[in-house]
Amino acid sequence: MSNPDSSPQATSSSTSPPSHAGHIHTPMCRSCGAPAAAPTPVPWSGDSPPPAYRPIRMPAINAPTNTAAIVLSPVPQPLPVPPAAPPFAFQAPAKRITSPDDIARFHASTHGRHFLGFVAALSASVQGRKLSDPLPSPPSPAVSALLDLISALSAFVASTPPFPHSSRYGNPAFRLWHEKLADSVNELITPITATAASPSVLAGAEVELAPYLLDSFGNGSRIDYGTGHETNFAAFLYCLARLGLITEDDYPAVVLRVFAAYLDLMRTLQDTYLLEPAGSHGVWGLDDYHFLPFVFGAAQLIDHKYMKPKSIHNPDILENFSKEYMYLACVMYVKKVKKGPFAEHSPMLDDISGVPHWKKVNSGLLKMYKAEVLEKVPIMQHFLFGSLIKWYGS
């Protein structure tokens, strides 16, 4: 029987003969002569390769690197939109952000804080509301004009069929669709500004609003779309709020009607013209294209009596409720376009499903939106600044 007090190393050094080249040395027990440890395994050879190993998840090449900072950061809170006062000096907005220092200046500025507060206010306005719920107040004329705008853009899709195309991404017909948008952008904006109490005061607003709208539906040259374009649509809505065209009473309708219609249009564009994801995080993103519908969709589900974050794994729930909740619709879309186990192609969404409450999901996504979208130079370098969203020094 082996002596439990004897060390294999001590035993081998005192009783085992010296090892020779090519000989596998096995320590022996000095009491019974039995092997005191498992023999060293024979190295793998070309004739006997190791078994194939498939990792549970892909390597975290694009995983968020500042997770701890996101968790410890404060939750963005709703803020009122500071109204713009006439006389207006509308100007063509321009890009300003080129470095992380510029990002810090933007977030320290009035409009940096209030733009994020506007997104948080939109999110808070739809807590516990389904897409089909009656609105707390009838849609304002500006909201109706926004819906007409999106309907007109949807009609452009019907009149611009995709070309025969064998590539995975980038059907050139999207350039024609985008040209139609550019040709009619002023005509699409005018009915919105016409809903102002004094439309003449907003004369010339198209020169500043049009670039935000043009960049809200993807890039016509690259035939791509990403969270930066989505953010430009939010900036377009923020500008309308600054001009008093939409008010806080309109926020539920802006999310549940306007943004939901915008999302439906973008899904149609993505599927019809095979838009390439712009700056996708791969498996470490929520979605190859969108972020805000997850924020708003999580807010919709706050305090839901039955559905929890883990409910996204129930196919019946996705099938029956995806038309009522944007979060579920986005998860269903991801599952449709991505193949394989959900935990492999969407580990972020899979991890979020383990959070116990939707309120915590919503607050975490708001923090993540700030860190992973509004604080990323590759995204925000395309953000536009004019007289309605002013650069910090102007």
Side-chain angles (χ1 to χ4, degrees):
M1 181 176 180
S2 301
N3 182 0
D5 296 328
S6 62
S7 166
Q9 290 182 342
T11 302
S12 64
S13 61
S14 59
T15 63
S16 300
S19 62
H20 301 283
H23 176 71
I24 299 175
H25 173 63
T26 303
M28 308 295 291
C29 176
R30 65 184 179 184
S31 299
C32 65
T40 304
V42 179
W44 295 107
S45 66
D47 297 331
S48 179
Y53 170 70
R54 183 183 183 189
I56 295 177
R57 291 180 177 173
M58 298 296 291
I61 297 174
N62 292 320
T65 56
N66 57 341
T67 305
I70 296 174
V71 171
L72 296 174
S73 64
V75 178
Q77 297 298 315
L79 291 175
V81 174
F88 299 109
F90 297 116
Q91 63 188 66
K95 300 174 183 178
R96 300 285 189 178
I97 293 176
T98 60
S99 68
D101 289 340
D102 290 337
I103 291 283
R105 294 186 187 101
F106 170 62
H107 285 286
S109 69
T110 298
H111 291 293
R113 296 193 305 271
H114 282 269
F115 175 69
L116 181 59
F118 172 66
V119 172
L122 290 177
S123 173
S125 73
V126 295
Q127 288 189 13
R129 298 183 187 274
K130 297 185 295 186
L131 289 173
S132 64
D133 281 349
L135 296 172
S137 58
S140 67
V143 168
S144 297
L146 282 166
L147 291 172
D148 291 341
L149 180 153
I150 294 174
S151 295
L153 296 180
S154 298
F156 289 169
V157 179
S159 63
T160 315
F163 297 151
H165 191 65
S166 58
S167 298
R168 180 183 180 189
Y169 291 121
N171 193 293
F174 179 67
R175 294 193 177 108
L176 297 180
W177 183 91
H178 213 277
E179 286 176 7
K180 292 181 180 180
L181 166 62
D183 291 342
S184 57
V185 65
N186 289 343
E187 298 172 6
L188 292 169
I189 292 174
T190 298
I192 301 173
T193 56
T195 64
S198 300
S200 60
V201 176
L202 301 183
E206 293 86 358
V207 70
E208 185 155 345
L209 296 174
Y212 290 105
L213 189 63
L214 285 172
D215 210 24
S216 297
F217 300 93
N219 185 281
S221 300
R222 296 191 303 268
I223 316 182
D224 65 5
Y225 176 90
T227 51
H229 301 105
E230 179 185 72
T231 296
N232 269 301
F233 186 70
F236 175 71
L237 297 174
Y238 178 81
C239 290
L240 297 182
R242 287 218 66 206
L243 294 173
L245 297 172
I246 57 177
T247 66
E248 291 188 12
D249 290 339
D250 295 320
Y251 285 4
V254 168
V255 177
L256 300 177
R257 301 294 186 267
V258 175
F259 192 86
Y262 167 77
L263 179 61
D264 288 343
L265 172 58
M266 286 317 310
R267 293 302 193 199
T268 300
L269 293 175
Q270 290 152 18
D271 293 342
T272 302
Y273 303 117
L274 307 175
L275 303 187
E276 184 172 3
S280 170
H281 285 273
V283 298
W284 294 100
L286 297 179
D287 181 315
D288 282 342
Y289 301 103
H290 292 282
F291 199 110
L292 287 178
F294 290 95
V295 176
F296 300 150
Q300 287 182 274
L301 286 158
I302 289 176
D303 295 331
H304 196 283
K305 189 173 181 180
Y306 302 109
M307 279 186 281
K308 306 300 180 186
K310 64 182 179 182
S311 299
I312 66 168
H313 299 294
N314 187 323
D316 291 335
I317 286 180
L318 294 181
E319 181 68 29
N320 292 318
F321 296 99
S322 60
K323 291 180 174 59
E324 295 286 6
Y325 299 99
M326 278 186 273
Y327 194 100
L328 301 182
C330 287
V331 171
M332 191 170 181
Y333 183 83
V334 169
K335 289 189 172 186
K336 182 183 77 171
V337 299
K338 295 188 177 183
K339 306 303 179 185
F342 186 72
E344 288 187 22
H345 63 62
S346 300
M348 290 293 291
L349 289 174
D350 187 59
D351 288 346
I352 292 171
S353 71
V355 176
H357 306 295
W358 285 111
K359 186 174 183 61
K360 190 171 182 181
V361 173
N362 176 253
S363 62
L365 288 175
L366 279 169
K367 293 192 287 185
M368 192 174 172
Y369 179 67
K370 179 176 184 285
E372 294 298 315
V373 177
L374 299 184
E375 291 183 352
K376 295 299 184 185
V377 174
I379 296 174
M380 294 302 290
Q381 66 182 347
H382 303 292
F383 197 75
L384 300 172
F385 296 88
S387 67
L388 297 174
I389 302 178
K390 295 185 178 181
W391 183 234
Y392 78 100
S394 59

